[in-house]
Amino acid sequence: MARRGGQPTSAAETTSVKRDPFLIHDTPKANASASPFATHGKGQQAHSGGAPFSTHKDLGGKAHQDGGMEDRPPPPFPARQGRLNPWSAVLLGVYLPCYLFVMILTLFTYVYHRAPAVPWMAVVLGADIVVVTLWPSAHHWPGRGRWDWFPLISGLCAIGLATWLGLINYSTMELWVHAKHLHSYDNVNPTSDTNLVGDAGLITFSPGSELDISSSAGFKAWPYTYCAAPIVSAGSSGTAQQTSPSGGSISAPQPLGFWAVGIDCCNSAGDFWCDDAKNSDARSGLRVTTHWIGQAAGHDVLENYGRAARKAAAMQGTQVAQTQVFLLWHKHPNSVAIRRWWAATGLYGGLVVASIGCCFLVRWILRSLTRIRAQPPK
């Protein structure tokens, strides 16, 4: 038959045209599975299950029959697995660190003097829980984000801050602990052997005992000055014979073993005004092994007090006892110990309230950021 406009006019020609593998056409419907390298045009319906290299725009695998994929919006990104949702960020990054902070601070304030190992076990256990539980996962698309690190950093900061503040608070309460739980000795002669009162928490010296302020010295450990003044019998300046606490005489030269100490309350030499040093009626002292000011600065308080004592003894040409007892000089030491307990408890309460306030503040900030990011662009 004759051709019309270059088109086939017979059924045979039509069949041959359809079977021509090199002829690209648009009008017939074809199955994409017949050729793995087929190029699908507009108006075709194909399935990508049998065409792994097909070049059509439908990521789902099916093409529309009504005009192609040009007007269809792109498919959504895969779900962000491994990313924290806002509630998880608040729960793990706010509430858990707040709980760990309060727990560790409580243990250091009220349990450390009875069981020193318990607070440190809580610190190690808390750090282990934070690192193992809150370490962000990187096994899912699109990996770690900045906010995925927030719970881990928040938890570690809470544990470190609670440990540091807890040790400072314990040093504040230390005088009460010594007065409450250690022995009290009365009528102690300043020239007696310090090993006889090595377990003392509170010492009251015999009448006539005083501070030798002129023999005091200060040791500078930046940013503080550690002060020490010897406790002596009136007019002896540490040259009397060694005696027992009951007053019995023991013939031996007496080095200086009892010292009144303080921080930032003296000059380099010859002047001392710590606590009740200027009160002539004071003759008692509370045993001290640390100080909250020096503790906050990371100083070895006992070592610095010892250096101040050795400096004072060297300036006067006297000896220092091998075992030294450092005391805070007070007229009413028991009242001072009770005030220290209330000061530590007040500091503890203030820190707990502050931590809860920070918890709610950070929670509010996180929720506000979540609402802002959820708003559609204008």
Side-chain angles (χ1 to χ4, degrees), residues 260-296:
V261 295
I263 293 180
D264 287 341
C265 49
C266 67
N267 293 327
S268 177
D271 198 6
F272 184 91
W273 60 87
C274 303
D275 301 317
D276 289 341
K278 300 297 185 180
N279 190 338
S280 59
D281 295 331
R283 54 184 182 93
S284 300
L286 287 165
R287 181 78 170 271
V288 61
T289 57
T290 185
H291 196 286
W292 70 271
I293 295 178
Q295 189 76 32

Side-chain angles (χ1 to χ4, degrees), residues 81 136-141 143-144:
Q81 301 178 4
S137 175
H139 299 294
H140 303 284
W141 183 91
R144 301 185 183 100

Side-chain angles (χ1 to χ4, degrees), residues 26 28-30 40-48 56-75:
D26 295 330
K29 296 181 181 180
H40 305 293
K42 188 174 181 180
Q44 289 181 323
Q45 183 178 5
H47 191 277
S48 61
H56 51 77
K57 297 180 180 180
D58 188 359
L59 297 179
K62 291 184 179 181
H64 285 292
Q65 299 181 6
D66 55 352
M69 296 296 301
E70 286 77 2
D71 298 332
R72 183 172 179 177

Side-chain angles (χ1 to χ4, degrees), residues 132-147:
V132 174
T133 305
L134 303 183
W135 190 273
S137 175
H139 299 294
H140 303 284
W141 183 91
R144 301 185 183 100
R146 289 179 300 175
W147 286 102

Side-chain angles (χ1 to χ4, degrees), residues 14 34 59 76 92 111 116 124 141 160 165 171 173 199 235 265 277 298 369 376:
T14 303
L59 297 179
L92 299 178
V111 181
V124 174
W141 183 91
L165 293 175
S171 65
M173 188 182 285
D199 57 350
C265 49
L369 292 176

